[in-house]
Amino acid sequence: LAEFRNRATSLAYVYGNGDFKLIGTGATLGYGTGAGGSVTQLTSKATGVTLSKGTGQITMNNAALNAGAAVTFTLNNTNIAATDVILVNIASGGSTNSYQTGVTAIGTSGGNCNIQLRNITSATNLSEALVLNFAVIKAVAA
C-alpha cells in the first residue's frame, strides 16, 4: 500500500494489487500535462487516425454527415489493450445536441478502437469539424 497526498488535501492510495482509490474533497483522477496529444482526420469522417497517447483530441474532417446517419472510423493507438475502457466525448466544433459518439469496438488484441459518430438530427445534414476528446482507462479481465 502506497499513500500519496496532493496539494488540494486529497489522499490517493495505490494498493499492491493495482487498485487505486481517491479520498477527499477536490479529489480528481486523470492525466497530467504532456500525457496527451492531438491528431487531425484527413479526407473524410471515415478516415482512420493514429495517436498513441493515453489521452488526446481528434479533430474530425468537416465532410457532410446526413441527418440520421452514422459513420465509424478507427483510432490506432498502441496504448489500447483489448481489456481497456475508452471514453470519448464531443469537446467542440459541432451544433449543440446534434450528435452522439461512442466506442463501438476495441481490437481483439488491442492497438485500436472504432469510434462512431451519429448525426441525431432528423432533417439536417451537418458538415462540421468536430473535436473529440478521448481517454484510455486501463482495465483487466481478472
Side-chain angles (χ1 to χ4, degrees):
L1 172 69
E3 176 181 310
F4 304 94
R5 291 192 184 273
N6 72 19
R7 294 180 191 171
T9 69
S10 297
L11 187 62
Y13 293 99
V14 179
Y15 299 90
N17 64 359
D19 289 346
F20 185 81
K21 185 175 184 180
L22 292 174
I23 303 171
T25 58
T28 61
L29 176 64
Y31 290 89
T33 301
S38 63
V39 64
T40 300
Q41 190 179 47
L42 304 175
T43 313
S44 75
K45 281 185 166 49
T47 302
V49 297
T50 299
L51 182 60
S52 289
K53 296 284 190 171
T55 185
Q57 289 192 319
I58 302 163
T59 301
M60 295 190 71
N61 186 276
N62 65 349
L65 185 58
N66 292 340
V71 64
T72 301
F73 69 94
T74 300
L75 167 61
N76 296 296
N77 185 328
T78 58
N79 289 303
I80 297 173
T83 55
D84 290 347
V85 176
I86 314 302
L87 301 177
V88 63
N89 68 282
I90 299 167
S92 63
S95 301
T96 304
N97 299 321
S98 296
Y99 298 96
Q100 287 179 333
T101 190
V103 173
T104 59
I106 295 177
T108 56
S109 57
N112 64 64
C113 69
N114 290 339
I115 298 173
Q116 184 177 79
L117 179 73
R118 180 176 300 278
N119 176 345
I120 59 172
T121 65
S122 60
T124 306
N125 297 342
L126 298 170
S127 298
E128 300 175 308
L130 292 122
V131 177
L132 306 180
N133 289 333
F134 76 89
V136 178
I137 299 176
K138 301 310 287 178
V140 294

